[in-house]
């Protein structure tokens, strides 16, 4: 049985960038994670360290021994794409920069983790974070998420299908624009109608090829 990471190693893993998996720590800490195949050192300068798929699984699993979580500016400010329906605070240029940075980070993650280095199709992280991944593609392209109880704007939600999300947007033209954005971002998209209301919505799933 694989020995779990130490508490110090777990803290480094948990503090990794939520999108790219970029790590921060001492040389000794990072080298230890590389030795255990939980991280790798990027061959190109500045030779940053990133989580491997095994490292991502560790981060997404519950710690062996629960530790108290202390709210800090770093943990409080973790980026999350807007899936629609949130009570939005902090719009403006700062949010635009955050979204752009997160999208560029996701493209870099695709390049590093897709076997052929392709940035044209989703990577493993996106397949395990379907709603966030689809919402990030939409928000990065400038689509407007719904806010609070506002009917306008997109909403991305889970579905009973294992690798598909539903995207709803009451404006038909805006819904079709969302479909185009997701297709360009490497998702397979089809339009459907709600049986009871007849309202159109999208089913989107990440392409594999």
């Amino acid at each position: 049985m694989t020995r779990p990471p130490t508490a110090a190693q777990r803290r480094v893993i948990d503090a990794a960038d939520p999108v790219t998996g970029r790590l921060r720590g001492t040389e000794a800490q990072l080298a230890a994670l590389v030795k255990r195949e939980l991280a790798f050192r990027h061959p190109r300068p500045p030779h940053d360290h990133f989580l491997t798929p095994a490292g991502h699984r560790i981060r997404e699993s519950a710690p062996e021994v629960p530790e108290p979580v202390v709210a800090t500016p770093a943990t409080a400010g973790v980026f999350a794409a807007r899936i629609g329906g949130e009570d939005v605070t902090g719009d403006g240029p700062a949010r635009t920069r955050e979204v752009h940075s997160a999208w560029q980070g996701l493209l870099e993650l695709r390049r590093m983790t897709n076997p052929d280095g392709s940035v044209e199709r989703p990577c493993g992280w996106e397949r395990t974070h379907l709603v966030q991944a689809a919402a990030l593609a939409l928000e990065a392209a400038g689509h407007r998420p719904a806010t609070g109880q506002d009917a306008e704007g997109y909403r991305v939600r889970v579905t009973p299908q294992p690798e598909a999300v539903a995207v709803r947007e009451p404006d038909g033209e805006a819904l079709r624009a969302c479909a185009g954005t997701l297709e360009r971002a490497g998702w397979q998209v089809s339009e459907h109608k709600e049986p009871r209301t007849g309202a159109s919505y999208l089913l989107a799933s990440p392409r594999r090829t």
Side-chain angles (χ1 to χ4, degrees):
M1 182 176 178
T2 304
R3 181 168 51 88
T6 66
Q9 290 172 341
R10 179 71 196 225
R11 284 193 290 272
V12 173
I13 291 171
D14 288 345
D17 184 279
V19 175
T20 65
R22 181 180 281 110
L23 293 161
R24 292 288 181 268
T26 66
E27 286 298 322
Q29 288 173 328
L30 297 174
L33 291 174
V34 169
K35 185 176 180 180
R36 300 188 58 180
E37 299 183 347
L38 298 176
F40 69 93
R41 184 174 184 264
H42 200 283
R44 296 179 184 173
H47 302 298
D48 284 335
H49 288 72
F50 297 85
L51 289 175
T52 62
H56 279 286
R57 287 193 293 272
I58 290 288
R59 188 183 61 174
E60 292 163 7
S61 67
E64 293 292 325
V65 178
E67 297 180 358
V69 177
V70 180
T72 66
T75 58
V78 171
F79 174 84
R82 288 179 178 156
I83 66 173
E86 301 94 336
D87 291 322
V88 173
T89 58
D91 261 332
R95 177 66 185 181
T96 301
R97 288 192 296 271
E98 286 181 354
V99 172
H100 175 75
S101 177
W103 177 247
Q104 293 304 311
L106 183 55
L107 293 181
E108 178 67 4
L109 187 61
R110 288 182 177 186
R111 185 182 69 79
M112 291 188 302
T113 59
N114 278 334
D116 58 356
S118 172
V119 298
E120 303 299 323
R121 68 177 187 280
C123 61
W125 182 89
E126 290 167 274
R127 297 180 193 285
T128 58
H129 300 78
L130 293 169
V131 171
Q132 278 287 316
L136 177 55
L138 293 173
E139 192 176 359
H143 295 278
R144 175 190 171 193
T147 58
Q149 299 303 312
D150 188 355
E152 296 182 2
Y154 70 77
R155 295 172 188 264
V156 185
R157 297 294 185 266
V158 297
T159 72
Q161 299 186 36
E163 274 208 1
V165 294
V167 180
R168 293 176 173 81
E169 160 63 78
D171 182 272
E173 185 174 345
L175 183 68
R176 288 187 289 274
C178 287
T181 290
L182 289 170
E183 287 171 348
R184 289 189 294 274
W187 293 65
Q188 292 178 321
V189 182
S190 56
E191 186 171 330
H192 304 265
K193 289 188 179 295
E194 298 281 4
R196 288 181 296 178
T197 65
S200 295
Y201 70 97
L202 306 176
L203 273 182
S205 56
R207 284 196 298 109
R208 290 192 176 274
T209 58

